[in-house]
Amino acid sequence: MKSSKTVYVCRECDYQSAKWLGRCPQCEAWNSFEEETYAAPPKTASAARRTAGGESERAVLFKDFSVPEYLRRKTGIGELDRVLGGGIVEGSVVLFAGEPGIGKSTLLMQLCGKIGDSTKALYVSGEESKAQLKMRADRLGISGSSLYVLTETSIERILAEYDRVKPELMIVDSIQTVTADGVASASGSVTQVRECASMLIGRAKADGASVVIVGHVNKEGGIAGPKVLEHMVDAVIYFEGERSLPHRVVRAVKNRFGSTNEIGVFEMTEKGLEQVANPSAMLLEGRPVGVSGSCAACVMEGSRPLIAEIQALVTPTVFPSPRRTANGIDYNRMCLLLAVLEKRLGLKFSACDVYLNVIGGMRLDEPAIDAAACLAMISSLRDIPIPDDLISFGELGLSGEFRSVASAEQRVSEAFRLGFTKIALPKRCASKLTLPDAGVELIPMNGIYDALRIFKSDGN
Ligand code: TYD
Ligand code: MG
């Protein structure tokens, strides 16, 4: 038998090297190498499974193939069902990722309580003791009459218990704490995570059980462990939010059984995570009235329109190079918008510090926020408030033109529902719109020049 051997593996692309490298020659990622130790020649479980099974897949004539009926189990938590595309699919593997303390274990424990007594669930924790799990369950009001818990980190023993209990839903909290016998490296390393995940996935596919894997995130915000983990699972769900703020956004970044980009909004309370039925109203709570530098924006998060407040603060700079800070909006996007405003409108942002913030710790990546971000920055620069009942959306082009965005009608009706009656939007969106009410006033904008009308019509 060969003695153990040390190799360095790239977290991003699995490239192996005998010595540590600062940059991966294959995928060019920096600082991505981790030390791994193989005990014996790496005969991995996935390789063993391939040979042990004996039977190989046959090619089928595609026209004779009918899609099997996917059975979805409703989780009993509406916001989570929305993100999962209507429930958790039998035989699927879902990866839940998020920062420590954000609420992953809490939500999954709630899921075990809500999924119903008809579904047998097994909660495997490698991080907490049974007493800690029980205390949390009591606090969440979960009786758990069909819930089994196991505190174990060996994947072989976890699967043995799985075979004994035969649950329909298994939760492994977290993949970074479990280890496989054949792999000598420490728990949480690239090889361990890959190997344990592939064993869990193999079992889920073979038995039709739903498996939920919890994944930690590293300091860059990516999922710790190999990049292939995200490719291996059927759905990847991220928890977002500031730990200091009560609300949490659960977002599907990959979903083989539903549309991605859907979000679910929760609020952390003393009784666990509670669903927020009306997130726009929550995000607008406590909005200042008649103050410059604030503008409401309407973005689409999957199929749902969401209204958020964007605030800008523009002050004369005392630094040689002005400060720019963006929170909840891409920093480069903000710089691009400032450059367009400077060039097309001649506004002197170059002599000012600019701070841009989306209220409530939300992260908005849709280009439709451009219009509201520009209005907020112009409003702060000139110190002229935007009317409180005005909302804006639209993408800004480099020539200063507003480009149309999708789902204008849904955005307008959500804005109207929340009491906004003036809607500044790209002209092309305005022309094909049916208004939800006669009291809604549209302000069509061809380009950024038209946005200035908003400040003039206010009588300032
Ligand atoms: P947890 O689910 O343990 O986070 P994760 O598994 O993502 O690391 O959540 C821990 C935080 O949630 C902790 O700081 C306390 C808070 N919390 C509540 O506010 N209310 C509750 O009912 C529970 C169970 C936790
Ligand atoms: Mg946890």
Side-chain angles (χ1 to χ4, degrees), residues 179-416:
T179 51
D181 283 348
V183 184
S185 44
S187 61
S189 64
V190 173
T191 336
Q192 282 289 11
V193 169
R194 190 197 313 111
E195 201 48 37
C196 295
S198 96
M199 285 166 90
L200 287 169
I201 292 165
R203 199 54 77 91
K205 300 284 168 214
D207 292 2
S210 311
V211 175
V212 177
I213 298 175
V214 175
H216 292 172
V217 296
N218 54 27
K219 55 183 187 303
E220 289 90 34
I223 296 166
K227 193 80 190 156
V228 283
L229 183 59
E230 289 174 60
H231 296 290
M232 286 156 78
V233 297
D234 296 308
V236 180
I237 290 176
Y238 264 97
F239 260 77
E240 294 171 4
E242 301 269 330
R243 240 178 312 166
S244 52
L245 293 171
H247 44 266
R248 306 276 183 268
V249 174
V250 178
R251 187 190 298 274
V253 290
K254 163 183 173 176
N255 194 351
R256 286 187 186 145
F257 297 105
S259 73
T260 41
N261 306 323
E262 287 294 344
I263 63 162
V265 185
F266 292 90
E267 192 173 356
M268 185 58 101
T269 67
E270 65 277 10
K271 287 210 186 75
L273 285 157
E274 275 179 18
Q275 306 183 59
V276 176
N278 194 347
S280 299
M282 182 188 78
L283 288 170
L284 290 174
E285 237 169 55
R287 188 171 170 228
V289 180
V291 180
S292 67
S294 157
C295 186
C298 191
V299 290
M300 292 301 291
E301 288 288 359
S303 58
R304 166 154 71 180
L306 198 68
I307 293 184
E309 182 195 349
I310 299 180
Q311 284 195 338
L313 186 67
V314 181
T315 53
T317 186
V318 291
F319 302 105
S321 58
R323 288 197 67 164
R324 305 272 184 256
T325 305
N327 248 332
I329 291 185
D330 180 45
Y331 174 81
N332 291 325
R333 188 86 205 160
M334 175 186 78
C335 293
L336 183 148
L337 296 179
L338 285 171
V340 174
L341 294 179
E342 184 122 19
K343 176 86 180 170
R344 306 291 164 197
L345 297 180
L347 298 172
K348 284 276 163 259
F349 283 104
S350 52
C352 297
D353 294 335
V354 180
Y355 305 90
L356 200 60
N357 188 25
V358 180
I359 298 297
M362 286 289 295
R363 183 148 189 100
L364 308 180
D365 284 323
E366 209 202 347
I369 54 160
D370 290 357
C374 288
L375 287 179
M377 291 190 290
I378 300 173
S379 160
S380 182
L381 179 77
R382 296 191 161 181
D383 208 12
I384 302 172
I386 293 169
D388 297 313
D389 55 353
L390 184 141
I391 193 165
S392 185
F393 61 86
E395 178 182 353
L396 190 67
L398 292 187
S399 327
E401 80 284 12
F402 275 117
R403 322 288 293 246
S404 69
V405 290
S407 320
E409 206 146 312
Q410 267 173 288
R411 294 177 207 253
V412 171
S413 28
E414 174 76 352
F416 176 66

Side-chain angles (χ1 to χ4, degrees), residues 98-107 123 127-128 136 139-140 173 214 216 239 243 248 268-273:
E99 287 185 11
I102 198 105
K104 302 180 292 296
S105 308
T106 306
L107 186 64
Y123 191 108
E127 304 191 340
E128 287 154 304
R136 176 182 288 140
R139 186 137 48 100
L140 298 170
D173 187 0
V214 175
H216 292 172
F239 260 77
R243 240 178 312 166
R248 306 276 183 268
M268 185 58 101
T269 67
E270 65 277 10
K271 287 210 186 75
L273 285 157

Side-chain angles (χ1 to χ4, degrees), residues 96 129 146-147 190 232 305 374 460:
F96 262 71
S129 67
S146 60
L147 170 65
V190 173
M232 286 156 78
C374 288
N460 287 290

